[in-house]
Amino acid sequence: MKLLEDRIRREGKILPGPVLKVSSFLNHQMDPALIMEMGREIGRLFAGEPVTKVLTIESSGIAVALCAGYALGVPVLFAKKHRTSNVSGNLYQTMVHSYTHGTDYTVVVEREFLKAEDRVLIVDDFLANGKAVEGLLDLIHQAGAEAAGAAIAVEKAFQEGGRLLRSKGLRVESLARIERMDENGIVFAGE
Ligand code: 5GP
């Protein structure tokens, strides 16, 4: 998605990790017009799929997920971060390793919002090693539901998440795929 790539190139900051900081339009301050357009694009990509629900993870995926859910006309559910792994029986829970913080945390969704008949589209802001998406897949499987695919705003294609998830047969679509980012700048797929 050219609009997103241009914005990343103009305003993205490369930090050690490597982490791409996009706090001016996605991860802290948010640009509604751009994010709405991203949601529309995800809607176009998955228009042929019988998606019943969008699932994301708190908190940075929520804006993109909301716009994707709006475009697809389906509810948006976000897995909530939970203080302890000792949670009650009306929840599905899973552990996720945070790429940006380097720690593990528990996320939960209430069972009443994820049902066996759901076909769930996973949406997130970034894909690095795939742990966040794997956690969401785990919640979907616990519910007996099916994953329709994953829509990611920014895939760092030089990390293993995309390859790993696609090799499991999951459809993964990214709006911007970064092949390389370093002191010389950012190279997107196809450049
Ligand atoms: P993964 O679970 O695929 O290793 O990492 C994806 C998650 O970590 C995303 O939910 C995102 O919040 C965070 N993340 C990973 N890489 C980056 C990055 O380069 N920039 C930002 N802002 N977040 C990232």
Side-chain angles (χ1 to χ4, degrees):
M1 189 179 165
K2 177 93 169 57
L3 204 62
L4 177 60
E5 289 181 358
D6 289 348
R7 196 65 179 269
I8 290 170
R9 213 188 294 279
R10 268 206 318 274
E11 296 177 24
K13 295 188 172 62
I14 302 162
L15 305 183
V19 168
L20 179 67
K21 197 163 178 238
V22 286
S23 297
S24 61
F25 62 90
L26 186 61
N27 284 148
H28 189 21
Q29 174 171 267
M30 294 180 279
D31 180 338
L34 174 66
I35 299 174
M36 283 297 277
E37 197 46 55
M38 289 159 65
R40 247 179 246 127
E41 181 63 19
I42 292 170
R44 272 192 289 271
L45 288 165
F46 284 90
E49 297 279 343
V51 174
T52 65
K53 192 159 289 191
V54 165
L55 176 65
T56 189
I57 199 158
E58 188 177 36
S59 58
S60 55
I62 293 177
V64 183
L66 184 71
C67 295
Y70 183 75
L72 289 162
V74 298
V76 177
L77 179 66
F78 63 94
K80 290 189 175 193
K81 290 182 179 151
H82 206 274
R83 278 173 316 260
T84 65
S85 57
N86 184 18
V87 288
S88 73
N90 63 342
L91 302 170
Y92 296 116
Q93 63 163 304
T94 194
M95 191 92 102
V96 174
H97 182 78
S98 165
Y99 179 83
T100 40
H101 296 106
T103 52
D104 291 344
Y105 58 98
T106 302
V107 293
V108 301
V109 297
E110 291 192 20
R111 286 176 188 243
E112 69 170 298
F113 298 128
L114 207 51
K115 298 289 187 197
E117 53 274 19
D118 276 320
R119 257 184 82 80
V120 184
L121 175 63
I122 292 170
V123 172
D124 204 5
D125 59 340
F126 274 86
L127 177 60
N129 293 323
K131 301 298 179 197
V133 172
E134 277 180 352
L136 295 174
L137 279 173
D138 184 27
L139 295 174
I140 292 167
H141 294 148
Q142 286 179 46
E146 203 183 323
I152 305 293
V154 186
E155 175 178 353
K156 293 186 291 179
F158 54 88
Q159 292 176 303
E160 65 177 6
R163 187 187 48 74
L164 211 93
L165 295 168
R166 290 183 182 100
S167 74
K168 288 184 187 171
L170 187 73
R171 178 180 171 197
V172 181
E173 300 282 355
S174 333
L175 304 183
R177 291 189 85 221
I178 297 178
E179 294 283 7
R180 222 173 52 232
M181 58 183 211
D182 52 33
E183 61 282 3
N184 300 314
I186 297 172
V187 179
F188 293 100
E191 288 183 330

